Amino acid sequence: GDSVTQMEGPVTLSEEAFLTINCTYTATGYPSLFWYVQYPGEGLQLLLKATKADDKGSNKGFEATYRKETTSFHLEKGSVQVSDSAVYFCALSDPYSGAGSYQLTFGKGTKLSVIP
Amino acid sequence: GAVVSQHPSWVICKSGTSVKIECRSLDFQATTMFWYRQFPKQSLMLMATSNEGSKATYEQGVEKDKFLINHASLTLSTLTVTSAHPEDSSFYICSARVDSTNQETQYFGPGTRLLVL
């Protein structure tokens, strides 16, 4: 079945540091890939997405490129801020998995803490 | 746009009682809603897929008689935890799929924290 593996946290960075959170996936077909962010005490918010190979999703300074050859969708940001502290989830939606309804498969989440 | 609300945001109940959680799409119609459970420091586990006007589809291992899901309208789905026990304590999250050409994006509610004593 489909699965998502992302680097385990927690990750602690100083403000303005470079961020990379690795994410790899296995899927039956050609999934769409997502990054969701969960701020403390809040629900998940879509951060960015990519629907086909070589697409780059970007939002709020975060970027991730859909790499089919390495089955990866690593999240990057050039300069993190304290306000970026949150849990980040990589996810995929595979319409060919047989599950239907565009179900999402999530990674376990990576907690990011940014210190001043 | 694409706001999903949940009510209540947190609830404490006694063992053996039932708890209803509401999930509403506030500014769009959602033919499909999803219910997840999130354990501390773990990922979201899909419990069931709820389609308006039809029975919910439950994931393997999820008891449909314990977690009753009703999707009565295009903007409301409810999850009822029946005869709740302490092991049902968790963070329950719903999401709604926007019924448009952008079908793959789900919008999530803020979650409901349930504590069963």
Side-chain angles (χ1 to χ4, degrees):
Chain A
D2 296 345
S3 67
V4 176
T5 303
Q6 59 183 106
M7 62 186 289
E8 293 189 18
V11 174
T12 302
L13 295 174
S14 297
E15 207 166 18
E16 299 184 2
F18 185 86
L19 169 71
T20 299
I21 301 178
N22 290 335
C23 172
T24 57
Y25 68 90
T26 57
T28 305
Y30 302 94
S32 293
L33 303 174
F34 305 82
W35 277 100
Y36 282 86
V37 57
Q38 185 177 32
Y39 297 103
E42 299 183 15
L44 274 73
Q45 301 175 26
L46 177 65
L47 181 59
L48 53 85
K49 69 175 184 178
T51 58
K52 61 183 187 297
D54 299 326
D55 270 3
K56 177 185 285 188
S58 61
N59 186 26
K60 299 181 180 180
F62 290 90
E63 293 183 340
T65 301
Y66 190 146
R67 301 289 188 196
K68 187 171 181 292
E69 64 276 13
T70 54
T71 62
S72 65
F73 193 56
H74 305 321
L75 182 68
E76 296 182 336
K77 186 174 185 180
S79 176
V80 293
Q81 305 300 314
V82 173
S83 57
D84 295 325
S85 298
V87 180
Y88 292 82
F89 291 92
C90 185
L92 70 81
S93 173
D94 183 359
Y96 298 96
S97 68
S101 301
Y102 297 95
Q103 293 177 2
L104 287 170
T105 300
F106 285 90
K108 291 189 175 181
T110 302
K111 183 177 181 179
L112 169 67
S113 297
V114 180
I115 56 177
Chain B
V3 177
V4 176
S5 70
Q6 278 184 245
H7 178 79
S9 56
W10 62 272
V11 57
I12 302 174
C13 69
K14 293 182 178 180
S15 185
T17 60
S18 294
V19 176
K20 180 184 283 188
I21 302 170
E22 293 186 348
C23 176
R24 294 182 184 271
S25 56
L26 296 185
D27 50 3
F28 65 98
Q29 293 183 333
T31 54
T32 304
M33 291 184 172
F34 304 87
W35 286 95
Y36 297 84
R37 186 172 177 176
Q38 186 180 25
F39 293 98
K41 300 183 180 181
Q42 295 190 31
S43 186
L44 281 73
M45 181 192 78
L46 179 65
M47 299 175 66
T49 302
S50 168
N51 292 296
E52 186 266 339
S54 64
K55 292 183 179 180
T57 302
Y58 290 82
E59 295 300 300
Q60 192 173 8
V62 178
E63 299 177 60
K64 62 180 181 181
D65 293 332
K66 179 167 189 60
F67 298 99
L68 300 178
I69 292 173
N70 183 24
H71 195 156
S73 75
L74 289 172
T75 59
L76 173 65
S77 177
T78 60
L79 167 68
T80 301
V81 183
T82 62
S83 186
H85 288 91
E87 57 266 29
D88 298 325
S89 299
S90 191
F91 194 51
Y92 293 89
I93 302 172
C94 75
S95 72
R97 181 166 66 82
V98 178
D99 194 22
S100 68
T101 56
N102 188 14
Q103 295 184 352
E104 296 174 305
T105 300
Q106 293 182 26
Y107 294 90
F108 287 79
T112 297
R113 192 164 300 280
L114 170 64
L115 177 61
V116 184
L117 302 177

